[in-house]
Amino acid sequence: MNPIRKPYAIYAITKHGIVIGERLRKSLGTADLFVSKKLSDQAPADSLSLSLPMDSTLRETFTQYDCHIFIISVGAVVRMIAPLLQNKKVDPAVICVDDKGLFSICVLSGHVGRGNVFTQIVSKALENTPVITTASDVAGTLTVDILGRDLGWVLEDQDRNVTRACAAVVNETKVLFVQECGESDWWPKDKPLPPGVEYSTSLEAADPEKYEILLIATDRSNIKQTHPKHYNNSVIYRPKSLILGLGCDRDISFEDVRSGIMTTLDENNLSLESVRAIASIDRKHDERAFLELAQAFQWEFLTFPASELDRVTGIVSPSAMAMKHVETRSVSEAAALLGAGTDFLIVPKRKYKRTPESKNLTVAIARIPFLPREEVLIAKEAIRS
């Protein structure tokens, strides 16, 4: 959900609609119920007044809620919301419920706006029939434009090739999913891949001309340069796969840390969008620049005691100075390794100073390991046996 929006707005303009709306509001828990002024004597005491026609109210509320639930006919709602629509990236979900409460119908923003999810929630609350018409949901196949979203994955470009990829998946043409990083449960682990979809962990082994589209989960930022044919025929996903280990002089500036991270990512062809967390020694838990950075980019900030950092395997550049001052042979490398749960650094410690007057920063990067789907299935069968 959008953190700056409220969750639900419910609109009722009939006496039956009020009953349905109040039932729904109680079930959802966090919803505003708007009731026609003409029925104010039948409206719950804490409902909001709704003037008819609704145009002026909707102009105020449309961007303030994640989901709008109209207990009004679909045709009427379509006419009312049409002037307010922008694009699927920002439009909220719109659901219609009939006056008898028999159907919950997803009208707008089924995927990106989570309309289909909201429709299922509303349908469950009202114990009625959900009506969802997006082809991928009806077919039970991949939803290209929101794949991995619940895991924190983001599309590199929400427009490039997405429509073509959606059509390829729905039409069951040849599609290759290439996974270089990220969680393995982007598709249910015990469920076969949809018809037409193949799976690989090697971009180098893939022939882009054999497939209608490639779906690539990667934290590499230079595929356009290294694999132009693959890139041109692909949709790129950015899983949250990278842990940045940081060490610094006390009271380093935000800009020095930000610049050091950006430079390190850029030099190693890694995507900023794939960073999951920053990590350091526990005595840095109050380092202002780290706290501001985590807040600015919505990253986790992990800290570990020196005793844990010193036991980590995979450290490439142990430091006698670190051992002397903080009682561990590594801070940035060990924190990255420990945060990622691995013993391999994709970027060993890099020392950075933005200017001669800047304070010292060290950056190391580790990638969170993942089990390829074949290994997941094999492991699951082993557990069952």
Side-chain angles (χ1 to χ4, degrees):
M1 293 188 183
N2 190 321
I4 63 174
R5 289 175 173 172
K6 297 179 182 179
Y8 300 97
I10 305 169
Y11 305 91
I13 60 172
T14 68
K15 63 179 183 179
H16 295 120
I18 294 173
V19 174
I20 294 169
E22 180 62 4
R23 177 185 172 190
L24 188 55
R25 181 173 66 161
K26 288 180 179 178
S27 177
L28 297 175
T30 53
D32 289 333
L33 175 61
F34 293 82
V35 176
S36 169
K37 282 183 178 180
K38 294 182 179 180
L39 299 173
S40 58
D41 58 328
Q42 302 177 47
D46 55 349
S47 62
L48 302 173
S49 181
L50 176 63
S51 298
L52 298 180
M54 295 173 58
D55 306 61
S56 59
T57 299
L58 290 179
R59 281 195 295 270
E60 293 181 10
T61 63
F62 199 65
T63 59
Q64 295 177 1
Y65 294 86
D66 283 316
C67 179
H68 296 266
I69 305 164
F70 295 86
I71 309 170
I72 304 171
S73 70
V74 172
V77 170
V78 168
R79 293 179 188 279
M80 288 189 290
I81 67 172
L84 306 174
L85 303 184
Q86 298 183 53
N87 59 68
K88 68 178 184 179
K89 299 175 189 176
V90 299
D91 288 336
V94 173
I95 298 169
C96 285
V97 176
D98 63 280
D99 205 51
K100 292 294 184 182
L102 300 177
F103 301 96
S104 296
I105 307 165
C106 184
V107 177
L108 185 69
S109 293
H111 282 165
V112 178
R114 298 182 184 267
N116 293 341
V117 174
F118 288 131
T119 298
Q120 295 287 3
I121 293 171
V122 170
S123 176
K124 183 177 180 180
L126 297 178
E127 299 179 300
N128 66 13
T129 302
V131 179
I132 293 171
T133 58
T134 44
S136 57
D137 291 84
V138 173
T141 190
L142 300 179
T143 49
V144 171
D145 47 352
I146 59 170
L147 188 66
R149 181 173 66 178
D150 291 340
L151 301 171
W153 297 17
V154 295
L155 284 168
E156 179 193 58
D157 186 327
Q158 295 184 47
D159 297 315
R160 194 181 67 85
N161 290 338
V162 171
T163 300
R164 185 160 66 88
C166 290
V169 170
V170 169
N171 291 323
E172 300 180 0
T173 55
K174 288 192 70 174
V175 173
L176 180 65
F177 188 96
V178 181
Q179 183 168 20
E180 295 189 330
C181 63
E183 296 84 350
S184 57
D185 53 351
W186 52 270
W187 183 252
K189 296 177 183 178
D190 54 356
K191 185 177 179 181
L193 290 172
V197 179
E198 299 177 19
Y199 178 82
S200 174
T201 57
S202 173
L203 187 62
E204 282 69 23
D207 182 353
E209 296 180 356
K210 290 185 177 180
Y211 297 92
E212 183 69 23
I213 199 77
L214 304 181
L215 308 178
I216 305 173
T218 182
D219 51 29
R220 289 196 280 170
S221 61
N222 64 338
I223 288 178
K224 184 176 182 179
Q225 291 74 37
T226 60
H227 298 76
K229 290 184 178 180
H230 296 73
Y231 179 83
N232 290 335
N233 192 39
S234 72
V235 172
I236 305 290
Y237 298 92
R238 299 297 188 195
K240 302 298 184 186
S241 56
L242 303 177
I243 305 295
L244 309 182
L246 304 177
C248 70
D249 292 336
R250 175 59 73 177
D251 295 327
I252 192 170
S253 74
F254 172 88
E255 185 53 35
D256 283 343
V257 179
R258 190 201 67 81
S259 178
I261 286 174
M262 298 300 180
T263 299
T264 304
L265 290 170
D266 185 59
E267 289 178 349
N268 291 278
N269 300 308
L270 295 169
S271 172
L272 177 68
E273 292 181 313
S274 285
V275 175
R276 176 181 291 275
I278 56 175
S280 192
I281 193 168
D282 57 3
R283 64 176 61 193
K284 290 292 184 182
H285 75 279
D286 59 349
E287 188 69 55
R288 181 181 295 275
F290 290 0
L291 293 169
E292 291 177 351
L293 193 78
Q295 182 176 14
F297 289 97
Q298 295 298 294
W299 294 336
E300 295 178 66
F301 179 21
L302 310 174
T303 61
F304 305 99
S307 57
E308 289 187 29
L309 295 174
D310 196 50
R311 291 197 299 266
V312 170
T313 58
I315 294 170
V316 175
S317 307
S319 168
M321 188 67 69
M323 178 60 77
K324 177 181 178 181
H325 290 287
V326 294
E327 300 179 338
T328 174
R329 57 203 170 96
S330 172
V331 173
S332 57
E333 289 187 346
L337 292 165
L338 198 55
T342 183
D343 59 3
F344 178 74
L345 290 165
I346 58 173
V347 180
K349 180 176 71 176
R350 180 191 188 282
K351 297 179 180 179
Y352 180 83
K353 288 188 74 168
R354 185 167 62 95
T355 69
E357 295 76 27
S358 295
K359 296 192 174 185
N360 294 296
L361 174 73
T362 59
V363 182
I365 305 177
R367 178 181 289 125
I368 300 170
F370 76 98
L371 276 175
R373 285 191 59 82
E374 294 90 346
E375 294 183 25
V376 169
L377 295 175
I378 291 170
K380 193 162 188 176
E381 289 301 320
I383 292 172
R384 286 175 178 171
S385 61

